[in-house]
Every structure is written in C-alpha cells, then in structure tokens.
Amino acid sequence: MLPSLFIAHGAPTLAIESNDYTTFLAELADHYPKPKAIVIFSAHFETPVQAVGRVEAYETIHDFYGFPEEMYRLRYPAKGDLALADRVKALLDDQQIPTQLNEQRGLDHGAWVILRLLYPAADVPVISMSVNPFLTPEEQYRIGKALSALRREDILIIGSGGTVHNLRQINWNASQPDAWAVAFDDWLIDRLQKWDTAELFDYETKAPHARQAVPRNEHFVPLFYAMGAADDSPSAQLLYRSYQFGSLSLTCWQFGKE
C-alpha cells in the first residue's frame, strides 16, 4: 500500500534549479513502488466545488510571470485516466461531497513542477484535483479520507503546496531561516507526528506566527487533503525540511504506512 505525500513545490524556479531539494525529489520516487496513477491536489487549482480532472492528456500550464524564458518552454506531457477520474468522483459522491468533473484544464505548475522531478518520463497517469481554501480543515481532511481506499490500489495521493508561504516576507539575501518560520514549522511537526487533528484543525489560533506563516491558506491546505488520505493508518514522517529566501518552507511529509 502506498502512503500519501505532502510536497512543497516552492518557487516556480524549482523547475530549473539544481540543489539538495531537487535532488531529494528526483530520488524520492525510487523509495516506493511505481504507482498505477497519481491523484494530486494543487494549491494553484482552486474551485468552490471539488473538481476532478477528467482528460486524456494534459496541457502544461505556465501560470507564472516574469521568470526566465526557459521555464515557459518546459512541458510535462502527462496523460489522464478517464476511468479513474470517474472512480474518484464516485468515491466522493459516496460521501456526499459535491464534485464536478473538469474536462478541459491542464496541469498548473504546482502539479507539473514536482511531477516532472518525481516521474520525468511522464509515464504515470495523473488525476488533477482542486482545493477549496474556504472549507474548514475538517472538510478538507474528509475529502482526502474519502479517497484513502485508492492507496490500497497502488495509487499515489499527493498534496502540493507549502507550509510557510508568505511572499511578502521573502528575503532574497537570507543565509539563515527566519526564526518565526522555524517556530511555526516546529509546532506543525510536533502535532503532525502526534496526529493531533484537534490542534491542527485549529492551527490559526494555536500555532505560533500562524498569520505570518499562512497569510492565505491555499498553499497550506493541501496538507489536510494528503493527511486525510492516510486516516486509515495515521502515521506522519517528515522526509525533508529546508528553507529558501529566509522563510519559504520546503518540506515533504509521508502519511500512512507502506
């Protein structure tokens, strides 16, 4: 049985960087059996009703501006899986979670940047999933939980975002991580390892520097979707942690037992 993962996708330039984190991601897939498919929740795909990507082949969306020209030439020719998309919708329907199929949208950089590192051959079918930052953490967790059975079918569930993601706090010249960002992640690590959902669901009032770390929660909430997908085997393991630009958190979590 595959675990679920939360993967920070960092800045869009992750697509062309070569550093410890990109090396880690490039080697991460080798630690698991090759999945039959990937279901990925991206911070850059927001909808008020849960969307499920149902396409035969994805266009690569370059949803960023002002970056090096080479980034706009990158492509990730992922294939979809129509039958699996229908199954994902059925699992959500069974839990009375409102869902819509999306038959047009490509893969945004929150998805393809990390998938390109994990599976560069683009030979694993992908189901693109939206996030809704206006749901409660309990509701986001419940959506992930509704899909937990897929893990037993060798389908990898990923949440792509970032735990500390405040672009106004970026320090381009930082040589050390900011203390407030570290404190927030320290709190988060402790509660995740304890699977303390009561505290985690109330992170906005319980976690130190929560408003500074998560000024808007679209990058944070993929964590709850990925965590919920491992509700049947609650276990959290921090696989990687570092920071860019002082506070941009690069963390990777494994949820559930293999």
Side-chain angles (χ1 to χ4, degrees):
M1 180 168 65
L2 288 172
S4 58
L5 298 173
F6 172 80
I7 301 176
H9 61 248
T13 48
L14 189 71
I16 58 172
E17 292 172 358
S18 178
N19 53 39
D20 288 346
Y21 188 50
T22 59
T23 298
F24 162 79
L25 290 177
E27 296 174 352
L28 181 60
D30 293 337
H31 293 277
Y32 310 110
K34 188 173 181 179
K36 293 179 180 177
I38 298 167
V39 173
I40 184 165
F41 293 88
S42 171
H44 291 277
F45 184 10
E46 292 184 44
T47 60
V49 175
Q50 180 62 56
V52 179
R54 189 183 189 275
V55 300
E56 292 186 354
Y58 289 95
E59 296 290 331
T60 302
I61 303 175
H62 299 87
D63 52 336
F64 41 76
Y65 306 95
F67 287 90
E69 182 60 32
E70 62 182 299
M71 293 181 60
Y72 300 94
R73 294 193 293 268
L74 296 176
R75 296 291 183 272
Y76 187 74
K79 303 297 183 183
D81 185 324
L82 303 186
L84 179 57
D86 291 339
R87 174 154 162 68
V88 168
K89 185 178 188 305
L91 288 170
L92 295 169
D93 288 344
D94 286 346
Q95 298 301 314
Q96 299 182 324
I97 296 169
T99 310
Q100 294 178 343
L101 295 172
N102 187 307
E103 299 180 324
Q104 297 180 334
R105 193 177 191 276
L107 283 183
D108 60 74
H109 81 272
W112 67 259
V113 166
I114 61 172
L115 292 179
R116 187 170 173 269
L117 288 164
L118 291 170
Y119 300 101
D123 55 354
V124 180
V126 175
I127 304 298
S128 176
M129 305 289 289
S130 68
V131 300
N132 182 350
F134 298 102
L135 296 177
T136 66
E138 292 93 334
E139 291 170 319
Q140 292 151 352
Y141 184 99
R142 179 170 168 257
I143 290 171
K145 182 179 178 180
L147 304 181
S148 61
L150 297 176
R151 294 173 45 239
R152 301 187 192 92
E153 302 170 21
D154 296 326
I155 294 170
L156 181 62
I157 299 174
I158 299 175
S160 172
T163 54
V164 181
H165 189 90
N166 187 337
L167 300 184
R168 293 185 177 182
Q169 295 291 317
I170 279 180
N171 177 358
W172 299 102
N173 299 313
S175 59
Q176 297 292 329
D178 294 335
W180 61 267
V182 172
F184 177 82
D185 271 343
D186 283 346
W187 181 93
L188 188 63
I189 289 166
D190 177 73
R191 273 58 177 189
L192 285 169
Q193 291 176 338
K194 294 175 181 175
W195 209 269
D196 188 345
T197 54
E199 287 267 305
L200 288 165
F201 291 166
D202 196 22
Y203 77 93
E204 290 181 294
T205 60
K206 297 293 182 63
H209 312 289
R211 289 186 179 274
Q212 195 171 5
V214 188
R216 190 174 185 275
N217 66 345
E218 80 288 348
H219 275 75
F220 188 75
V221 300
L223 183 76
F224 292 127
Y225 292 92
M227 189 182 183
D231 179 80
D232 54 352
S233 55
S235 171
Q237 181 181 354
L238 180 63
L239 302 180
Y240 188 93
R241 180 187 186 184
S242 68
Y243 296 86
Q244 288 183 314
F245 317 123
S247 62
L248 188 62
S249 178
L250 299 177
T251 55
C252 179
W253 284 90
Q254 173 182 296
F255 297 121
K257 298 177 181 178
E258 299 178 57

